[in-house]
Amino acid sequence: MREHDSGYRHYVIGGVAILIVVVYIIRLFQLQISSDDYKKSADSNAFLKKIEYPSRGVITDRNGKLLVYNQPAYDIMVVMNEAKDHLDTLDFCAALNISREEFDRRMETIKDRNKNPGYSRFTQQIFMSQLSDKDFSVFQEKMFRFPGFYVQRRTIRQYQYPLAAHVLGDIAEVSPADIEEDDYYQPGDYIGKLGIERSYEKQLRGEKGIQILLRDAHGRVQGRYQNGKFDRRPVAGKNLTLGIDADLQALGERLMEGKIGSIVAIEPSTGEVLCMVSSPSYDPRMMVGRQRSKSHHQLSQNVWKPLLNRSIMGQYPPGSTFKTTQGLTFMTEGILHPTHTAYPCGHGFNYKGLHVGCHGHASPLPLVPALSTSCNGYFCWGLYYMINQNISKYGSVQKAMDKWRDYMVSMGFGYKLGIDLPGEKRGLIPNSKFYDKAYKGSWNGLTIISIAIGQGEVNATPLQIANLGATIANRGWFITPHVVKQVQGEKLDTTYTNRRHTMAKREAYDYVVQGMRASATGGTCKALAHYDFMACGKTGTAQNRGHDHSVFMGFAPMDKPKIAVAVYVENGGWGATYGVPLGGLIMEQYINGKLSEASQKKADEFQHKHISYGTTSR
């Protein structure tokens, strides 16, 4: 029995010893492999890894004018494990011109893993960002007194002109979501937030470098580890050349002072955006450095929404500019013949008690004069015959409606065009399902007749209206509009080089161009007649709950066009009141390179011609 007990104890003691060894092995694995706390501690004692930030790519206009560049700034970094408890906090705060309360708040924020998920007490954390040269020089003189604090040289953006804020965008400190989405970033880094700064962030940001510095036992830097063998130099970001013409942009912003709306100009042959004005706007220099947060808050609270890029986010009824799409569709579908088909207009469209008003002009009219005079009746009759009178061709009202919609989509409406800017809206082109739901299946061409003249449920962005002008100028094709003309060392995405063809016939475009030219020589756009280039245009007066919106869409010259323009002025009244004269000035500036003396006076008049909008939030 004793021998049995002895053998049993032997096994128990052996098992306990083995268990102790296993526990130690597991713990050593956790400390050395699973947890990097000790490795970080050892590395931090021996090395200081210093990130070197690249210069962000600069941005120029199509003529080489510098728009956005870099200037030096400095971040104050802290390694919490090295910051001593006996730090003279008051002296430190005086050197940075901050209060003790702000110092405590910043230190707590650094240690808050919810706000700073990448926190480690062994690595550099950002304490204060974007010090100017002046502030940095004051701090640098005393920095030796503050162990654990370092300076990181950075660059911040600077803007040459107070122009194109919505196009250029800005940069700001990364959010936790940005860090989670892309491991390139760490807390304190900067990222494009708006405009092309965001769209082309990866090209503009470049690649970070790193210096590995060796410390002694007292934490003092002794030099580069192995003479910089493992260092990596930063790679500067790529420069961007925009399609924007700075002089044209300046004129557009000047003309839109005191008005709400947009001007967009496109080079038809390339799809390059020549100017993109959204009014009201703001000076992009407001969004630089440590003042960005305050400025952004002020702008976001402004009742007139200056942060909204109305050129791509504003969704408006296109008004009579949309009649060009109807003429193209009806002619291609055989609903009308441009010279033989003449529809009546008794001061508007009148059928079975339905009346859509129109101004007085000769009647009946074929296509070209119908466009020139902007006849509502003509295009309402065209839609009626396509939707209601062609059941044998389409099979049903619904199928006729969807065929109509297909034409509009092919012309760039109803979906995002795909411009290289964030935030673009799609507008609205209804289909049969839309109306089936709205009218429970009981509807026809008369129910929706207002879409024929760009009213009703149809909505478009100013960019889409300008693109319509470019498409007509090209007689049936367009290239997706884009702001960036060239990326240093790269080819543009094929999205911005390939042609997109519409469903309408070339012959139909030729007649629509004739109508737009007739409008410029003696129709609703006759204010364009005096220019020495052959301008083509189409007015729009978009109905609104208050005063109507003034709209213009056109291009010039008629043959070999160089520019297509859309002007949209909220509550501006008739298209000829604001849209036509502003569009003409934009064309003249780009084609001739300057305004004539008479046009300069006209530009001054419109610059100071403000529209009263009251105080209603928009």
Side-chain angles (χ1 to χ4, degrees):
M1 189 70 178
R2 288 180 181 176
E3 290 179 1
H4 174 75
D5 291 342
S6 175
Y8 177 77
R9 285 195 299 271
H10 176 76
Y11 285 117
V12 169
I13 294 171
V16 170
I18 292 172
L19 179 62
I20 292 172
V21 171
V22 169
V23 168
Y24 270 102
I25 291 173
I26 291 173
R27 181 55 181 157
L28 284 170
F29 177 84
Q30 289 177 332
L31 292 176
Q32 297 182 20
I33 307 298
S34 298
S35 173
D36 61 354
D37 283 351
Y38 287 91
K39 182 178 184 299
K40 285 181 178 178
S41 178
D43 283 351
S44 67
N45 289 332
F47 305 114
L48 174 63
K49 295 180 180 179
K50 187 176 181 181
I51 299 294
E52 290 190 300
Y53 289 91
S55 295
R56 201 168 174 87
V58 301
I59 303 172
T60 60
D61 86 335
R62 67 186 299 108
N63 300 311
K65 285 188 176 180
L66 186 63
L67 300 177
V68 186
Y69 59 97
N70 302 305
Q71 66 178 21
Y74 304 88
D75 292 347
I76 304 301
M77 313 296 291
V78 59
V79 177
M80 301 296 278
N81 198 51
E82 298 175 14
K84 305 300 183 182
D85 294 334
H86 59 268
L87 171 72
D88 188 338
T89 308
L90 293 180
D91 189 23
F92 181 87
C93 291
L96 287 176
N97 194 27
I98 61 174
S99 66
R100 173 60 189 266
E101 290 74 22
E102 184 175 357
F103 173 86
D104 292 337
R105 178 180 59 80
R106 288 177 179 271
M107 294 297 273
E108 288 303 316
T109 299
I110 290 172
K111 292 183 285 187
D112 186 338
R113 292 186 182 273
N114 291 323
K115 296 180 180 178
N116 185 17
Y119 171 70
S120 168
R121 68 182 186 274
F122 304 114
T123 61
Q124 290 189 357
Q125 306 292 314
I126 189 163
F127 177 83
M128 179 179 286
S129 63
Q130 298 186 359
L131 269 70
S132 66
D133 282 329
K134 181 180 178 181
D135 292 337
F136 167 67
S137 62
V138 173
F139 179 78
Q140 187 181 32
E141 293 178 0
K142 299 182 177 181
M143 195 170 66
F144 70 94
R145 303 180 187 176
F146 313 129
F149 287 88
Y150 302 88
V151 171
Q152 175 70 65
R153 189 180 187 278
R154 301 286 289 269
T155 58
I156 59 173
R157 295 306 238 177
Q158 190 55 268
Y159 301 86
Q160 188 74 9
Y161 308 102
L163 301 173
H166 296 98
V167 173
L168 298 174
D170 67 320
I171 62 172
E173 193 169 332
V174 291
S175 66
D178 294 324
I179 297 171
E180 185 176 347
E181 185 177 332
D182 190 338
D183 60 9
Y184 172 87
Y185 301 103
Q186 60 186 30
D189 283 356
Y190 297 97
I191 190 173
K193 290 292 184 180
L194 298 169
I196 59 172
E197 291 279 16
R198 183 161 191 87
S199 299
Y200 290 84
E201 165 66 14
K202 289 187 178 180
Q203 289 90 341
L204 287 166
R205 74 188 184 188
E207 298 177 16
K208 296 175 187 172
I210 189 170
Q211 280 188 27
I212 304 176
L213 305 176
L214 189 65
R215 308 183 204 237
D216 63 15
H218 300 286
R220 294 172 298 202
V221 174
Q222 299 300 301
R224 292 188 175 187
Y225 175 62
Q226 291 194 14
N227 294 319
K229 179 180 178 181
F230 299 100
D231 291 355
R232 185 174 67 250
R233 293 184 62 82
V235 178
K238 296 180 178 180
N239 300 330
L240 301 184
T241 301
L242 306 188
I244 296 291
D245 182 307
D247 293 337
L248 194 66
Q249 182 75 24
L251 174 62
E253 295 195 15
R254 178 181 156 207
L255 294 174
M256 287 298 291
E257 285 184 18
K259 308 165 190 70
I260 295 175
S262 170
I263 298 176
V264 179
I266 298 173
E267 183 177 62
S269 61
T270 63
E272 292 167 9
V273 174
L274 302 173
C275 79
M276 179 175 282
V277 177
S278 178
S279 181
S281 186
Y282 59 94
D283 187 337
R285 291 173 292 195
M286 294 174 61
M287 306 292 272
V288 172
R290 290 157 61 187
Q291 66 175 343
R292 181 190 184 276
S293 179
K294 181 180 179 180
S295 297
H296 188 276
H297 178 74
Q298 290 175 342
L299 291 170
S300 66
Q301 297 300 307
N302 189 310
V303 70
W304 305 115
K305 298 182 173 64
L307 289 174
L308 179 69
N309 185 353
R310 289 172 168 82
S311 299
I312 62 173
M313 297 176 179
Q315 300 176 93
Y316 302 102
S320 293
T321 62
F322 203 61
K323 292 173 182 174
T324 56
T325 67
Q326 305 309 287
L328 292 165
T329 301
F330 303 152
M331 183 177 170
T332 303
E333 282 295 291
I335 306 301
L336 61 82
H337 188 282
T339 57
H340 299 356
T341 306
Y343 291 128
C345 181
H347 285 276
F349 174 81
N350 299 282
Y351 187 73
K352 292 185 177 181
L354 177 65
H355 174 71
V356 178
C358 188
H359 56 280
H361 56 74
S363 175
L365 292 172
L367 177 61
V368 170
L371 283 169
S372 173
T373 59
S374 196
C375 173
N376 285 344
Y378 184 92
F379 297 98
C380 287
W381 279 114
L383 184 75
Y384 170 75
Y385 280 111
M386 180 172 180
I387 303 297
N388 276 34
Q389 300 297 308
N390 275 273
I391 301 301
S392 60
K393 178 177 181 178
Y394 299 112
S396 68
V397 167
Q398 282 80 3
K399 289 182 179 179
M401 180 69 212
D402 288 339
K403 173 63 74 171
W404 176 90
R405 178 184 178 274
D406 290 344
Y407 272 90
M408 301 306 106
V409 171
S410 78
M411 296 178 196
F413 294 96
Y415 291 92
K416 297 177 183 179
L417 280 167
I419 191 171
D420 51 348
L421 288 173
E424 182 189 4
K425 301 299 183 183
R426 61 181 290 177
L428 175 63
I429 296 294
N431 59 11
S432 62
K433 290 182 180 179
F434 179 94
Y435 287 123
D436 282 343
K437 182 178 180 181
Y439 295 103
K440 296 180 172 58
S442 179
W443 59 276
N444 58 42
L446 295 175
T447 315
I448 62 171
I449 201 70
S450 59
I451 65 174
I453 57 174
Q455 297 288 164
E457 293 74 29
V458 171
N459 274 330
T461 65
L463 176 68
Q464 289 172 331
I465 299 172
N467 188 65
L468 172 62
T471 306
I472 298 171
N474 291 331
R475 278 61 166 180
W477 59 269
F478 65 93
I479 294 175
T480 302
H482 49 286
V483 171
V484 172
K485 178 183 177 74
Q486 184 177 4
V487 179
Q488 180 184 13
E490 288 186 15
K491 290 184 178 180
L492 280 183
D493 190 291
T494 54
T495 300
Y496 306 121
T497 58
N498 291 341
R499 293 184 178 186
R500 296 165 61 176
H501 293 268
T502 76
M503 294 171 61
K505 294 179 179 178
R506 167 62 190 253
E507 182 185 8
Y509 278 99
D510 289 337
Y511 277 101
V512 167
V513 169
Q514 290 180 37
M516 292 177 67
R517 178 58 186 159
S519 179
T521 56
T524 57
C525 295
K526 60 186 177 183
L528 300 176
H530 72 278
Y531 288 112
D532 57 2
F533 47 84
M534 296 178 69
C536 299
K538 182 70 196 76
T539 54
T541 304
Q543 294 177 7
N544 182 45
R545 293 177 184 175
H547 293 294
D548 293 340
H549 302 317
S550 179
V551 195
F552 169 77
M553 178 271 293
F555 61 91
M558 186 172 95
D559 299 314
K560 297 183 180 178
K562 296 180 179 179
I563 182 172
V565 185
V567 179
Y568 210 106
V569 180
E570 293 188 27
N571 305 144
W574 296 102
T577 304
Y578 282 98
V580 176
L582 298 192
L585 290 169
I586 292 292
M587 290 177 179
E588 180 185 357
Q589 170 68 41
Y590 187 70
I591 292 173
N592 295 339
K594 63 179 181 178
L595 296 179
S596 67
E597 187 175 342
S599 293
Q600 195 66 258
K601 290 180 180 179
K602 185 187 294 185
D604 290 340
E605 291 174 6
F606 276 101
Q607 178 181 359
H608 298 100
K609 195 174 182 180
H610 294 185
I611 297 175
S612 176
Y613 292 98
T615 57
T616 304
S617 175
R618 305 199 67 81

